[in-house]
Amino acid sequence: AGTLVFGSAGNLLELCLGRGLQGAGVALATGASAAALRELLPARPEWASRFTLLASSGGVAFGPVLGGLLAHLPGGRTTVFMVQAFLLLLVLVPLSTLQARPAIALAERGQRSKALAPRRLGVPSSARAPFWLAALVGFLSFAIFGFVLSLAPGYFAQAFGLDSVLVIGLIAGLPLGISALSQLVVRGGKALLPIGLGLMAASTVVLAVAAEHRQLPWAIAALVFVGLGQGMAFRTAFAQAVDAVNDKQHAQTVSTIYLVTYLGSAVPVIALGWAVGVFGQQQSILVFSIGCAVVAAALAVWALAGLRKAR
């Protein structure tokens, strides 16, 4: 519904309404789908967490590429959203026929109508430290990805003289694609968290400097390392957080992590957009990048302190 409203919008109010509906749908589906994966893989909770992040990162990475391809179809950009809405409706077919095993905690008689109600957000006291680390890593990750998917495409197109919508979409989706790939191929323990955060800190600054000096190869390399660092850091922090809670609290914990995470793709990017209008594009993006690098470095120090304490 949100996609149809957004695709056919004729004014700012309708655009905001469509985005709001899309956000509500994502919020309702994220925790529920993560909990479903946990229940379908009861003996492999680490794979449930990995598939959750793989689907999230992979979907966001594929979106700009698919959008760039569909934008060349007749009808312009409206066609992109009509096709997307149709694909979302097709997803309902396998979902409606899926025969999953019974849930871990079945609703009691007389209470089954409440099984579909959204759960109250919350984090158990025993998992607050890993939760906040995962949530803040997610917030930082999506602040950077929000910039890459919103202001960066236009900024890169101007800085590097790009005019192909598909190429711009590929560049925008590159770090998220690398992040999704890292969910599958990168192996390691808790030490991946500070390493990934260190990569994010360094490559974010390199990205801004490369764009300012019109160095496309350096910018592409920085995007690759941003995605690699994010994938390593967020997957490790996310797994630590969800492993610290029991199965009944899994969906609530995941939803709460994503609540903070998605705020990262909203609040900092809106602030950056305001700063660009007031202080200029290059200066604002450079300050934003340095700020993200400082936060990543601080979280890396926190993660290292946690490793030493555990040892």
Side-chain angles (χ1 to χ4, degrees):
T3 301
L4 289 172
V5 171
F6 188 83
S8 60
N11 54 57
L12 180 60
L13 178 61
E14 292 175 359
L15 285 174
C16 293
L17 176 61
R19 277 290 191 248
L21 289 171
Q22 287 177 319
V26 170
L28 290 171
T30 299
S33 60
L37 280 170
R38 178 76 168 259
E39 293 176 358
L40 289 166
L41 298 169
R44 302 297 298 272
E46 73 281 1
W47 278 101
S49 298
R50 184 169 295 180
F51 282 136
T52 298
L53 295 179
L54 176 64
S56 176
S57 301
V60 179
F62 185 60
V65 180
L66 180 63
L69 286 171
L70 295 178
H72 293 287
L73 294 177
R77 294 175 180 173
T78 301
T79 305
V80 176
F81 301 103
M82 297 302 107
V83 173
Q84 182 188 3
F86 176 72
L87 293 175
L88 286 169
L89 290 173
L90 286 182
V91 172
L92 295 177
V93 177
L95 282 178
S96 64
T97 59
L98 181 65
Q99 296 295 321
R101 72 182 187 83
I104 291 174
L106 292 174
E108 298 179 0
R109 289 188 178 276
Q111 302 291 320
R112 291 180 180 174
S113 62
K114 296 181 180 180
L116 295 177
R119 300 293 189 265
R120 181 178 299 174
L121 298 176
V123 181
S125 57
S126 59
R128 282 178 183 167
F131 162 79
W132 279 113
L133 183 56
L136 291 175
V137 171
F139 183 93
L140 172 65
S141 301
F142 272 60
I144 297 173
F145 284 168
F147 159 67
V148 170
L149 293 173
S150 58
L151 292 178
Y155 179 55
F156 292 161
Q158 178 184 354
F160 303 122
L162 304 174
D163 54 8
S164 170
V165 178
L166 177 58
V167 171
I168 295 171
L170 285 169
I171 292 176
L174 179 62
L176 292 110
I178 296 296
S179 172
L181 183 63
S182 72
Q183 312 295 334
L184 293 176
V185 301
V186 178
R187 297 288 186 272
K190 296 180 180 180
L192 288 179
L193 179 53
I195 293 173
L197 288 167
L199 284 175
M200 289 174 65
S203 52
T204 302
V205 175
V206 172
L207 177 61
V209 174
E212 186 173 352
H213 292 279
R214 310 294 194 267
Q215 295 294 324
L216 182 57
W218 281 98
I220 292 177
L223 287 171
V224 168
F225 283 105
V226 165
L228 179 62
Q230 191 275 342
M232 294 165 57
F234 192 35
R235 189 196 77 194
T236 306
F238 184 88
Q240 290 179 17
V242 297
D243 288 347
V245 301
N246 60 43
D247 292 333
K248 292 182 180 180
Q249 297 170 310
H250 184 80
Q252 292 170 288
T253 304
V254 170
S255 294
T256 310
I257 289 175
Y258 272 105
L259 171 65
V260 181
T261 296
Y262 287 143
L263 284 174
S265 64
V267 177
V269 178
I270 293 173
L272 177 59
W274 169 82
V276 167
V278 176
F279 303 108
Q281 189 167 248
Q282 286 188 350
Q283 296 88 340
S284 300
I285 290 176
L286 183 60
V287 171
F288 174 82
S289 302
I290 293 173
C292 289
V294 170
V295 174
L299 290 174
V301 172
W302 183 6
L304 284 172
L307 283 176
R308 291 180 178 178
K309 183 178 180 181
R311 288 171 182 171

